[in-house]
Amino acid sequence: MHIERDRVVVLHYTLKNDAGEVLEASHGSAPIAYLHGHGNLVPGLEKALAGKRSGDTLSVVVAPAEGYGERSPGLVQVVAKSALKLDADPVVGMQLTARGPQGTRVLTVTQVGRDTVTLDGNHPMAGKTLHFDVEVTEVRKATREELAHGHVHGVGGHQH
Ligand code: ZN
């Protein structure tokens, strides 16, 4: 059975950046499972997987536009330290959750000044070229319930 819309795909993956550093990997833990054709993976990776079968391995390079998007300078803001109600002193790399009109957003502290903090609302992988190594371990038909929910149930998926 090959990968196409409405199939459940189980896979192991490693994600590296341009420098070859591993950013994420499923090896050593459970494989992930996703419902193909429902926007559950970044578009560039989902496209590359179409037509593959169980046992196939592939290496995919995904440009930012087909990955987590380009970085948006408008999502970077400098705020007064005193405006942030933090339990601890902000440090570079710290992530804060902010509630706004578009829902919850994760902000990463990218600079700490004497009185100010720079917060970046871009996805941490925005603007990055993604290098995936993927091994497809299973392809099956989705159940009616999975199709209704738009995601996989059971091992590697939602447990509910
Ligand atoms: Zn569900």
Side-chain angles (χ1 to χ4, degrees):
M1 185 176 286
H2 65 271
I3 297 174
E4 62 179 7
R5 189 179 163 83
D6 297 344
R7 296 265 157 89
V8 170
V9 182
V10 184
L11 55 80
H12 270 295
Y13 76 101
T14 303
L15 169 59
K16 294 177 190 159
N17 61 14
D18 281 329
E21 295 161 343
V22 175
L23 304 176
E24 290 175 7
S26 64
H27 288 279
S29 55
I32 63 154
Y34 80 96
L35 182 60
H36 191 83
H38 292 257
N40 292 316
L41 297 185
V42 296
L45 181 57
E46 193 160 47
K47 272 184 207 165
L49 280 160
K52 300 288 188 237
R53 294 165 190 276
S54 174
D56 282 352
T57 57
L58 61 157
S59 295
V60 190
V61 179
V62 177
E66 295 274 273
Y68 289 98
E70 301 288 354
R71 282 183 55 78
S72 170
L75 295 178
V76 178
Q77 52 181 324
V78 180
V79 299
K81 257 186 203 176
S82 57
L84 297 172
K85 295 181 173 51
L86 298 175
D87 300 331
D89 277 342
V91 291
V92 171
M94 182 187 269
Q95 294 197 314
L96 314 173
T97 309
R99 282 181 196 284
Q102 270 128 50
T104 307
R105 179 177 275 288
V106 175
L107 305 171
T108 307
V109 175
T110 55
Q111 267 184 49
V112 180
R114 203 171 59 125
D115 302 315
T116 61
V117 176
T118 305
L119 299 174
D120 188 343
N122 285 286
H123 188 283
M125 301 219 194
K128 291 194 172 141
T129 300
L130 311 171
H131 300 257
F132 288 100
D133 288 309
V134 178
E135 180 190 356
V136 179
T137 61
E138 190 190 338
V139 182
R140 66 166 169 86
K141 278 187 182 160
T143 64
R144 195 174 298 171
E145 193 185 45
E146 285 172 327
L147 290 175
H149 289 201
H151 56 230
V152 175
H153 291 161
V155 178
H158 287 242
Q159 315 284 338
H160 69 164

